[in-house]
């Protein structure tokens, strides 16, 4: 299936790949959340480590596969096109993961957030003033928004760096083609 590449084609392919990577990362996040329901601290920690590694290396593997497929499917794709494709995949997959992560935070029971705040208050002891408490409560109230933007930014930066690293292998193919 060799066809000329256009900006619309790059966005279309990036959307498909971003959906795949975003859903994969969201599934890993969901499994981490499910493992936290266990009463065993060891199981929760072990599951978190295993799922983090699976997500980290799985995203690298999936990004590499999608970039290879993109390069192979279209005629005239350059190193720059592959890099731009990877950045767009990172942008779109990060959007999916950030939305799922913010949704999980938003749906947490109030008791869970109150317990976390109480733990912070007790660890700070008497050094925590009333204005500090108000600030903390304001941050917690907006936590889903903060988590969304931080997660999206992190995924985009991670994906951009990964895209830059993985797309380097296509430079030699570009030089050999000329």
């Amino acid at each position: 299936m060799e066809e000329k590449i256009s900006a619309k084609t790059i966005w279309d392919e990036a959307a498909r790949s971003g959906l795949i990577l975003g859903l994969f990362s969201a599934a890993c996040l969901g499994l981490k959340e499910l493992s936290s329901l266990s009463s065993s601290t060891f199981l929760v920690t072990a599951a978190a480590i295993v799922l983090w590694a699976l997500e980290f290396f799985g995203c690298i593997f999936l990004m590499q596969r999608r970039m290879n497929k993109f390069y192979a499917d279209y005629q005239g794709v350059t190193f720059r096109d592959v890099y731009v494709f990877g950045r767009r995949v990172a942008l779109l997959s990060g959007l999916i993961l950030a939305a799922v992560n913010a949704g999980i935070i938003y749906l947490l029971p109030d008791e869970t957030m109150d317990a976390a705040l109480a733990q912070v208050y007790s660890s700070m002891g008497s050094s925590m003033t009333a204005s500090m408490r108000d600030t903390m409560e304001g941050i917690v109230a907006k936590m889903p928004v903060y988590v969304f933007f931080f997660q999206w930014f992190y995924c985009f930066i991670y994906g951009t760096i990964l895209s830059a690293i993985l797309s380097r292998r296509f430079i030699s193919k570009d030089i050999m083609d000329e």
Side-chain angles (χ1 to χ4, degrees):
M1 172 184 179
E2 298 255 341
E3 44 179 276
K4 289 284 187 188
I5 195 73
S6 69
K8 181 185 178 318
T9 303
I10 294 173
W11 273 111
D12 289 347
E13 289 296 323
R16 285 186 202 94
S17 297
L19 181 64
I20 291 168
L21 264 74
L23 291 177
F24 173 75
S25 295
C28 289
L29 177 64
L31 289 172
K32 283 184 225 173
E33 290 299 317
L34 285 176
S35 72
S36 69
L37 298 176
S38 170
S39 60
S40 169
T41 306
F42 173 77
L43 180 64
V44 171
T45 304
I49 291 169
V50 168
L51 288 167
W52 176 85
L54 176 69
E55 181 180 6
F56 184 80
F57 293 110
C59 283
I60 292 171
F61 175 76
L62 287 172
M63 179 73 97
Q64 183 178 21
R65 295 277 312 253
R66 299 305 296 180
M67 289 174 101
N68 285 336
K69 182 179 179 338
F70 176 74
Y71 187 81
D73 284 353
Y74 296 95
Q75 179 182 1
V77 173
T78 64
F79 150 74
R80 185 182 180 287
D81 294 330
V82 175
Y83 172 70
V84 168
F85 168 78
R87 283 186 56 148
R88 290 177 182 173
V89 169
L91 182 73
L92 298 171
S93 65
L95 180 63
I96 292 169
L97 181 59
V100 169
N101 203 1
I104 288 171
I105 300 291
Y106 181 76
L107 295 174
L108 279 176
D110 289 337
E111 299 81 37
T112 304
M113 295 305 275
D114 291 342
L117 271 177
Q119 198 171 27
V120 169
Y121 295 156
S122 69
S123 69
M124 294 291 288
S126 61
S127 65
M128 186 163 231
T129 64
S131 67
M132 290 171 75
R133 281 181 184 248
D134 291 342
T135 303
M136 285 291 286
E137 288 171 6
I139 290 171
V140 169
K142 295 179 182 174
M143 187 68 74
V145 174
Y146 296 145
V147 166
F148 175 82
F149 285 109
F150 177 78
Q151 182 76 51
W152 195 13
F153 179 74
Y154 170 80
C155 288
F156 178 67
I157 295 300
Y158 171 77
T160 298
I161 293 168
L162 181 60
S163 179
I165 293 168
L166 294 177
S167 62
R168 294 285 175 213
R169 60 177 270 174
F170 298 101
I171 291 175
S172 62
K173 290 181 181 180
D174 285 348
I175 292 171
M176 298 304 238
D177 288 342
E178 293 176 4

